[in-house]
Amino acid sequence: MGMNGGRRFAAAVLGRFQHPAQVIAGSFGLVALVGTILLSLPVATASGRGTGPLDAMFTATSAVTVTGLAIVDTGTHWSVFGELVIIGLVQVGGLGIMTFATLFAVLVSGRLGLRASLLAQAETRSLSMIDVRTVVRKVVLFSLVSEAIIMLVLTGRFVIGYGEPIERAVYYGAFHSISAFNNAGFALWSDSLVRFASDPYISLPIALAVIVGSFGFPVWFELLRAWRHPSRWSILTRLTLGISVILLVLGTLAFMVTEWSNPKTLGPLSDPAKVLAAFFAGSMPRSGGFNSIDISQMYPSSWLVTDVLMFIGGGSAGTGGGIKVTTFGLLAFVLWAELRGENHVNIGNRRIPEAIQRQAMTIALLGVGLIAVSTYALLVLTPHTLDRVLFEAISAFGTTGLSTGISADLPPAGHILIVVLMFIGRVGPLTLGSALALRERTTRYELPEERPIVG
Amino acid sequence: MGMNGGRRFAAAVLGRFQHPAQVIAGSFGLVALVGTILLSLPVATASGRGTGPLDAMFTATSAVTVTGLAIVDTGTHWSVFGELVIIGLVQVGGLGIMTFATLFAVLVSGRLGLRASLLAQAETRSLSMIDVRTVVRKVVLFSLVSEAIIMLVLTGRFVIGYGEPIERAVYYGAFHSISAFNNAGFALWSDSLVRFASDPYISLPIALAVIVGSFGFPVWFELLRAWRHPSRWSILTRLTLGISVILLVLGTLAFMVTEWSNPKTLGPLSDPAKVLAAFFAGSMPRSGGFNSIDISQMYPSSWLVTDVLMFIGGGSAGTGGGIKVTTFGLLAFVLWAELRGENHVNIGNRRIPEAIQRQAMTIALLGVGLIAVSTYALLVLTPHTLDRVLFEAISAFGTTGLSTGISADLPPAGHILIVVLMFIGRVGPLTLGSALALRERTTRYELPEERPIVG
Ligand SMILES: [K+]
Ligand SMILES: [K+]
């Protein structure tokens, strides 16, 4: 089987979807369009006065790309219908990205645990359709079960800890569990989750949902099947777990060190609550998008830490955004191998092909270039400082949804730019990654080599 | 001959310098130390009161790394002796970097025009010493002749245009031609060259000297020998020329568009002077370091453009800093090849080996990482905003020497950080590049490959 089976399977699916990149971008665009129309309806607003097309498009794109940036207050501007449209877009967007990414992982990966079972019947002609259905079913099941568990915990806490009536508690629980698991970051309170900064029964389930969702389905599938045998884990799983844990610890420590005595953020909290809120802040840039401390009051150094974490983002087949922890981890290993003078880049007992290294570099470089150009445009378009517009651009590209508070202030051109960034940030790395990995490479005669100096 | 001759030559030189990286870092460190001692002497100051050790070290490092950042006013703080020490450090530093880099280019490059003549007597045993001497002699000759020409033009202008007495005009001409050709950016006026913003007879020779110096000796050597035959040019020469011209045009246009009506920068100038000053501003980030418009009054979007240009820097074997235009150009070609789905990265009719691609990526990634960490440290250490400290960090790493005006304001820890950045920025890319390119790679058995998904 091995690569051969993978190729055959890829060919079968590619035969169905002529251009997977177009399918992914097209479906996200279509859902965003439908969302824009629904959110433009007067019935979608609490006031019944309707929402302008740009604001509706911004919100719909933010929802379907599971970003969470908002230019109207989610909890007060929209009616229940509007909120249901938003959370529906989040659910569709999150499921879509996880399904597409999982299919892609199945196609590309050489030893993903998932593939064995999917390819067991590799000889039958109708394989591709069956397998696509299998993947969709498993992903949906995984998402709904995870969301249900988080919802139960949150609902219980809203009833017991805050005396909310049961329907309201269920509604809050469902909305925020979907928003958290899909890394969307929409909250029904104007201050996001600042009021729950000291409450571990809200903060921890939300953070957990964000982390679980950001790892992605293939990682969980493998962990659930082979948690006793780490040596059999794929590189995808190892990189996702390893880099995520490192970034989580470093992020939490950075926020603790910098913000511990900031009177506008961690300062007023008790010591355990400070640790809790720093952990929450450390887990959200990858790329949950909730905040339990006021981001606009953080020190600029904390913004920079958040920038880096948001750019890296979540797992490759999860609901998080950014260039992905896998890409970042691969580049770190490439760097390490290069500095040690090794010809090959090995992770664990596997060698990483040069084509994959170049893909990782391509995605990172394009991300940096896109952020640089957008940040420049925002600097020209707005009176805001670099730290705030850079944060906003990375948050949109990383589909993170955190903001220093300038989202609503941007001019229309700025809002359109953020919409474009969210869209590219959501479908870009995935479609680019799949396009790079799945295509046939043109084979050309080799030219004589030349070694220019660098550095 | 070909690679074989190159290898033998490399082995011969490496036999002399056991660890080239240590030799380069050590000699720069030693010269900086001597410079620090000389600049600490009371006789080095105009007031005769002496200079604190940190300020002396900062200035000496800034001079020998040809950066040009200053925390005391060069024209008023130092005596003539102090100024001579500074310009001497600049000359030694500039010659050193160009010599080391040229030797490195000779060693590594497979078809650099320079090598043919150097290796003509490749059979003699005493080759290495002769060739090192040949390179040093040619580099010194090239530098001094270039500097003399620029000096004559500047001196003439100071006499004719500004009525300076002849000795003073010669002194100014010599100081600024050395400072310009070596991309050092030290000027004897507090406002750098703002007073000459409208004077093409000062601005253009200085800009030209900076550009000539930043291309580097191997490029000029090849251009002088084969200017009629561009098809024979090496990739080093093509990339250096091509990327430099593109960045120069883009930089000039960006400054024209953004600053044209800024009353604090280009605004008050006549239209031709605006174009001249924009060209000057566009040529300086790579990495001349003079300014003819007030950088602290530029719009933040212009700072961002300057950040990008300073990070990229100058030519690989020139007096400029940064990751180098060659590194940037290579990465652009790698990206382009990857997006087009080509297996090989070809420039012109030559294939770029994968090892070189990885070196370029390594240098760029380490640069980004270093800038991120230093910027974070400066944000924590100082009350300044991100745009200013990022500018300062990139200017130090890129040995550019431009500043938004915060250099003198930094606390001692900030000054030490800038010193370290200048030093790493100067010797880092070169020694890293040579270490990566010249070492023997460990050969290991190949592990089975695995293709994790990225993006
Ligand atoms: K988000
Ligand atoms: K400089």
Side-chain angles (χ1 to χ4, degrees), chain B residues 392-418:
Chain B
E392 196 79 8
I394 296 182
S395 179
F397 168 76
T399 69
T400 322
L402 299 171
S403 176
T404 62
I406 63 170
S407 308
D409 284 348
L410 301 176
H415 283 148
I416 291 171
L417 179 64
I418 297 291

Short mmCIF file of all heavy atoms in Angstrom, two decimals, chain B residues 392-418:
data_model
loop_
_atom_site.label_atom_id
_atom_site.label_comp_id
_atom_site.label_asym_id
_atom_site.label_seq_id
_atom_site.Cartn_x
_atom_site.Cartn_y
_atom_site.Cartn_z
N GLU B 392 14.72 50.54 15.48
CA GLU B 392 16.05 50.58 16.08
C GLU B 392 16.73 49.20 16.04
O GLU B 392 17.91 49.09 15.70
CB GLU B 392 15.93 51.07 17.53
CG GLU B 392 17.22 51.53 18.17
CD GLU B 392 17.62 52.94 17.75
OE1 GLU B 392 16.81 53.61 17.07
OE2 GLU B 392 18.75 53.36 18.07
N ALA B 393 15.95 48.15 16.35
CA ALA B 393 16.52 46.80 16.38
C ALA B 393 16.94 46.36 14.98
O ALA B 393 18.02 45.81 14.78
CB ALA B 393 15.51 45.81 16.97
N ILE B 394 16.07 46.62 13.98
CA ILE B 394 16.42 46.22 12.61
C ILE B 394 17.59 47.04 12.11
O ILE B 394 18.49 46.53 11.44
CB ILE B 394 15.20 46.37 11.68
CG1 ILE B 394 14.08 45.42 12.11
CG2 ILE B 394 15.60 46.08 10.25
CD1 ILE B 394 12.85 45.47 11.21
N SER B 395 17.63 48.33 12.47
CA SER B 395 18.73 49.19 12.04
C SER B 395 20.06 48.69 12.60
O SER B 395 21.08 48.71 11.91
CB SER B 395 18.47 50.62 12.48
OG SER B 395 19.54 51.46 12.10
N ALA B 396 20.03 48.21 13.85
CA ALA B 396 21.27 47.69 14.46
C ALA B 396 21.64 46.35 13.81
O ALA B 396 22.79 46.16 13.40
CB ALA B 396 21.09 47.52 15.97
N PHE B 397 20.68 45.44 13.69
CA PHE B 397 20.96 44.13 13.08
C PHE B 397 21.42 44.30 11.64
O PHE B 397 22.32 43.61 11.17
CB PHE B 397 19.71 43.25 13.14
CG PHE B 397 19.83 42.01 12.30
CD1 PHE B 397 20.59 40.93 12.73
CD2 PHE B 397 19.20 41.93 11.07
CE1 PHE B 397 20.72 39.79 11.94
CE2 PHE B 397 19.31 40.79 10.28
CZ PHE B 397 20.08 39.72 10.72
N GLY B 398 20.77 45.22 10.91
CA GLY B 398 21.13 45.45 9.52
C GLY B 398 22.34 46.35 9.36
O GLY B 398 22.70 46.71 8.24
N THR B 399 22.97 46.73 10.46
CA THR B 399 24.09 47.68 10.50
C THR B 399 23.80 48.89 9.60
O THR B 399 24.66 49.36 8.86
CB THR B 399 25.44 47.04 10.09
OG1 THR B 399 25.43 46.72 8.71
CG2 THR B 399 25.73 45.80 10.90
N THR B 400 22.55 49.38 9.69
CA THR B 400 22.13 50.47 8.83
C THR B 400 22.43 51.83 9.45
O THR B 400 22.90 52.74 8.78
CB THR B 400 20.61 50.38 8.57
OG1 THR B 400 20.27 49.02 8.42
CG2 THR B 400 20.24 51.17 7.33
N GLY B 401 22.09 51.96 10.73
CA GLY B 401 22.44 53.19 11.43
C GLY B 401 21.39 54.27 11.37
O GLY B 401 21.59 55.34 11.93
N LEU B 402 20.26 54.03 10.69
CA LEU B 402 19.16 55.00 10.74
C LEU B 402 18.46 54.86 12.09
O LEU B 402 18.49 53.80 12.72
CB LEU B 402 18.17 54.74 9.60
CG LEU B 402 18.73 54.86 8.19
CD1 LEU B 402 17.72 54.37 7.17
CD2 LEU B 402 19.12 56.30 7.89
N SER B 403 17.81 55.92 12.55
CA SER B 403 17.13 55.86 13.83
C SER B 403 15.97 56.84 13.85
O SER B 403 16.03 57.89 13.22
CB SER B 403 18.08 56.18 14.98
OG SER B 403 17.38 56.21 16.21
N THR B 404 14.91 56.47 14.58
CA THR B 404 13.81 57.40 14.77
C THR B 404 14.11 58.36 15.91
O THR B 404 13.24 59.14 16.31
CB THR B 404 12.50 56.65 15.08
OG1 THR B 404 12.68 55.94 16.32
CG2 THR B 404 12.15 55.66 13.98
N GLY B 405 15.32 58.29 16.45
CA GLY B 405 15.74 59.26 17.44
C GLY B 405 15.80 58.75 18.86
O GLY B 405 16.01 59.53 19.79
N ILE B 406 15.67 57.44 19.07
CA ILE B 406 15.64 56.94 20.45
C ILE B 406 16.98 56.37 20.89
O ILE B 406 17.13 55.97 22.05
CB ILE B 406 14.55 55.85 20.63
CG1 ILE B 406 14.85 54.62 19.77
CG2 ILE B 406 13.17 56.42 20.30
CD1 ILE B 406 13.95 53.44 20.10
N SER B 407 17.98 56.33 20.00
CA SER B 407 19.26 55.67 20.34
C SER B 407 19.82 56.18 21.66
O SER B 407 20.18 55.39 22.54
CB SER B 407 20.30 55.89 19.25
OG SER B 407 19.81 55.55 17.99
N ALA B 408 19.90 57.50 21.81
CA ALA B 408 20.53 58.06 23.01
C ALA B 408 19.67 57.85 24.26
O ALA B 408 20.19 57.77 25.37
CB ALA B 408 20.79 59.56 22.81
N ASP B 409 18.35 57.71 24.05
CA ASP B 409 17.42 57.59 25.18
C ASP B 409 17.42 56.23 25.85
O ASP B 409 16.84 56.08 26.93
CB ASP B 409 15.97 57.80 24.68
CG ASP B 409 15.68 59.27 24.44
OD1 ASP B 409 16.51 60.08 24.86
OD2 ASP B 409 14.63 59.57 23.84
N LEU B 410 18.00 55.23 25.20
CA LEU B 410 17.88 53.88 25.73
C LEU B 410 18.62 53.73 27.05
O LEU B 410 19.64 54.39 27.27
CB LEU B 410 18.43 52.86 24.72
CG LEU B 410 17.77 52.83 23.34
CD1 LEU B 410 18.48 51.85 22.43
CD2 LEU B 410 16.29 52.45 23.47
N PRO B 411 18.14 52.86 27.94
CA PRO B 411 18.87 52.58 29.18
C PRO B 411 20.13 51.77 28.86
O PRO B 411 20.25 51.25 27.74
CB PRO B 411 17.87 51.74 29.99
CG PRO B 411 17.01 51.09 28.97
CD PRO B 411 16.90 52.06 27.83
N PRO B 412 21.07 51.67 29.82
CA PRO B 412 22.32 50.94 29.55
C PRO B 412 22.08 49.54 28.98
O PRO B 412 22.75 49.13 28.03
CB PRO B 412 22.98 50.88 30.93
CG PRO B 412 22.48 52.09 31.63
CD PRO B 412 21.06 52.30 31.14
N ALA B 413 21.10 48.81 29.53
CA ALA B 413 20.84 47.46 29.02
C ALA B 413 20.43 47.52 27.55
O ALA B 413 20.80 46.65 26.76
CB ALA B 413 19.75 46.79 29.85
N GLY B 414 19.68 48.56 27.19
CA GLY B 414 19.29 48.73 25.80
C GLY B 414 20.50 49.01 24.91
O GLY B 414 20.60 48.48 23.80
N HIS B 415 21.43 49.83 25.41
CA HIS B 415 22.63 50.12 24.64
C HIS B 415 23.46 48.86 24.43
O HIS B 415 23.99 48.61 23.35
CB HIS B 415 23.45 51.21 25.32
CG HIS B 415 22.88 52.58 25.12
ND1 HIS B 415 22.99 53.59 26.04
CD2 HIS B 415 22.18 53.10 24.08
CE1 HIS B 415 22.39 54.69 25.58
NE2 HIS B 415 21.88 54.40 24.40
N ILE B 416 23.56 48.05 25.48
CA ILE B 416 24.33 46.81 25.36
C ILE B 416 23.67 45.89 24.34
O ILE B 416 24.33 45.27 23.49
CB ILE B 416 24.47 46.12 26.74
CG1 ILE B 416 25.38 46.97 27.63
CG2 ILE B 416 25.00 44.71 26.60
CD1 ILE B 416 25.42 46.53 29.07
N LEU B 417 22.32 45.83 24.39
CA LEU B 417 21.60 45.00 23.42
C LEU B 417 21.87 45.46 21.99
O LEU B 417 22.10 44.65 21.09
CB LEU B 417 20.10 45.06 23.73
CG LEU B 417 19.19 44.26 22.81
CD1 LEU B 417 19.48 42.78 22.92
CD2 LEU B 417 17.72 44.52 23.15
N ILE B 418 21.87 46.79 21.78
CA ILE B 418 22.14 47.31 20.44
C ILE B 418 23.56 46.97 20.01
O ILE B 418 23.81 46.60 18.84
CB ILE B 418 21.91 48.84 20.41
CG1 ILE B 418 20.43 49.18 20.71
CG2 ILE B 418 22.31 49.43 19.06
CD1 ILE B 418 19.46 48.76 19.65
#
